[in-house]
Amino acid sequence: MEKEQASPRKPKSARAKWHLFEVIGILLVFASLVILLAVPDSLSTFFNTVIGEVKPIVVDIFLTSEVGIAIIISVIFGRLLERLGFTDGLIRLFVPVMKWFRINPSVIVPSVYNILGDINAAGKIAGPILVKAKATKAEQKIAIATMVQSPQSFATLVLGLIALSVFGIQAFPLIVLSIFLPIIIVPILLSKTIYRDTKKVELQELPRFTPKTRFLHTIFASAKEGAELLFLLIIPAVAAVFFFIGAFKFFGLWGTIEAALTSALTFMNIEPATGIVSILAAPTLAVAQLADLAATVDPKLIVGSFVLANSGLPLSVIFGQVPVTWAEISSLNEREALMAAIVGMVIRLATAWILATFLTPFLLG
């Protein structure tokens, strides 16, 4: 007797189901065809607009000016300091202070390297130090947020001092309150509020951080590291940020965004023209422009601009370089590093407003 067996129905393939991005893709295909037929030169105009935004920053600032070379030099300088025991010296100084507040002292290392070198070099050098010091994820986030309070190059600080002298503003109290005090205050503040998973560390629990590489090897390896940092990380991150700025300009949105930035910066007592340069391009360029402003500018706007520029800006660093760098060399992923950098930037904006509003009258000579 012949038995008929019903063949089981094959389950529907997962590939046959429509995915959200397949729908978006189909819409983009039809939209592209319509645009090519109706406005055939719009795509080339879009690319020209984006290139017009990206090229001056990537080429004129990072490739052919001193900024790109400064990044490579800062990595060399930072690695030499590390090789000469600078990190171990810092740790010995800050262990008693941070032990009192139950925080791993390595959280201050990125900030100091940031002042002396560059924010990208600071992350590259200090990230592994935090891991080696067994800093918790919360402490690594504190380190990033604190690093954002410091000027991302020594040149920014020096040019800012020149601008302050032009306007007759006392520099010493401002530097102490805006640059050095946050290295202590911010870790304490964050450890009591947002990032509480911190722990007291004794000096004997920490390893030594001075590498044993040969000095010549340190110099040449750090130069190579600086070049890789510039070409493989910084320039792509900057290009990505200014790609979106170019896209906003093409769609007619940038004027509204720029006007909103101007209003917000003026409200926070930050000189808007140089403030926007700090946020979007380069703080070093912004403080160089401060000295050229007319003497009729309100001094508190100069103080606010100085404090803002001496930070982890521009946005390409906050949203591009910091997340990518720290995700590679620390225990944090890109999102965690980005959120810590944003927390640090919010604190810096608040610091700029407070010092500009309440400290300026005491700084005028």
Side-chain angles (χ1 to χ4, degrees):
M1 189 173 64
E2 198 174 316
K3 292 184 180 179
E4 291 184 7
Q5 293 183 349
S7 59
R9 183 177 293 178
K10 293 182 179 179
K12 194 174 181 180
S13 171
R15 184 65 180 87
K17 295 179 181 178
W18 281 85
H19 192 275
L20 172 63
F21 286 99
E22 288 179 314
V23 177
I24 295 173
I26 288 288
L27 294 175
L28 286 174
V29 170
F30 284 110
S32 300
L33 290 173
V34 171
I35 290 170
L36 287 174
L37 291 172
V39 196
D41 62 340
S42 59
L43 192 59
S44 61
T45 305
F46 174 79
F47 274 100
N48 287 335
T49 304
V50 170
I51 290 169
E53 289 299 313
V54 174
K55 185 262 180 186
I57 304 299
V58 170
V59 177
D60 300 341
I61 292 181
F62 285 96
L63 286 180
T64 60
S65 80
E66 295 87 353
V67 175
I69 300 301
I71 290 170
I72 298 174
I73 296 299
S74 68
V75 177
I76 298 172
F77 185 57
R79 288 299 186 191
L80 279 175
L81 288 175
E82 182 187 38
R83 180 64 183 85
L84 292 168
F86 187 80
T87 305
D88 282 319
L90 272 178
I91 293 296
R92 279 195 174 270
L93 285 175
F94 280 93
V95 160
V97 178
M98 292 302 178
K99 185 172 67 173
W100 182 265
F101 296 102
R102 305 183 67 84
I103 305 171
N104 193 309
S106 62
V107 298
I108 54 89
V109 173
S111 298
V112 179
Y113 274 106
N114 195 19
I115 297 171
L116 297 174
D118 172 82
I119 195 166
N120 307 288
K124 202 77 173 176
I125 295 168
I129 288 172
L130 285 157
V131 175
K132 192 176 179 181
K134 297 180 180 179
T136 65
K137 275 195 169 189
E139 287 168 333
Q140 293 176 47
K141 293 173 186 177
I142 289 173
I144 293 175
T146 306
M147 178 182 68
V148 172
Q149 312 308 308
S150 305
Q152 58 144 309
S153 75
F154 195 64
T156 305
L157 178 58
V158 173
L159 290 171
L161 293 177
I162 295 171
L164 292 177
S165 66
V166 169
F167 285 86
I169 298 170
Q170 296 180 46
F172 181 75
L174 185 58
I175 291 173
V176 171
L177 292 173
S178 67
I179 295 175
F180 294 112
L181 197 59
I183 295 176
I184 301 295
I185 297 299
V186 171
I188 296 170
L189 174 66
L190 291 177
S191 69
K192 304 300 181 187
T193 54
I194 304 175
Y195 305 126
R196 298 185 179 185
D197 183 21
T198 62
K199 61 182 187 295
K200 181 174 69 173
V201 178
E202 300 288 345
L203 181 63
Q204 56 268 26
E205 297 176 39
L206 295 170
R208 295 189 185 276
F209 300 102
T210 304
K212 296 181 180 179
T213 52
R214 298 187 306 275
F215 279 96
L216 276 179
H217 176 77
T218 299
I219 293 170
F220 288 106
S222 58
K224 180 183 177 183
E225 184 181 13
E228 290 175 346
L229 186 66
L230 175 64
F231 290 103
L232 300 181
L233 178 61
I234 296 173
I235 287 178
V238 170
V241 170
F242 280 85
F243 165 84
F244 285 104
I245 292 174
F248 288 144
K249 281 196 172 182
F250 176 80
F251 291 109
L253 301 173
W254 181 245
T256 304
I257 295 171
E258 192 172 25
L261 277 173
T262 300
S263 300
L265 290 171
T266 304
F267 175 77
M268 290 187 289
N269 291 324
I270 296 169
E271 200 285 316
T274 55
I276 290 175
V277 173
S278 290
I279 290 170
L280 298 179
T284 305
L285 182 61
V287 289
Q289 293 175 349
L290 274 179
D292 299 329
L293 294 176
T296 53
V297 174
D298 192 334
K300 67 183 178 183
L301 298 180
I302 303 301
V303 171
S305 292
F306 173 87
V307 177
L308 182 68
N310 284 278
S311 69
L313 287 171
L315 290 180
S316 59
V317 172
I318 303 295
F319 286 92
Q321 292 151 231
V322 167
V324 174
T325 300
W326 283 81
E328 290 179 353
I329 47 81
S330 73
S331 304
L332 305 176
N333 58 40
E334 289 189 4
R335 184 181 180 279
E336 290 169 331
L338 173 60
M339 293 307 297
I342 292 173
V343 168
M345 202 63 246
V346 170
I347 294 173
R348 195 60 179 172
L349 286 167
T351 303
W353 175 76
I354 291 169
L355 293 180
T357 304
F358 300 105
L359 186 66
T360 302
F362 303 99
L363 298 177
L364 298 176

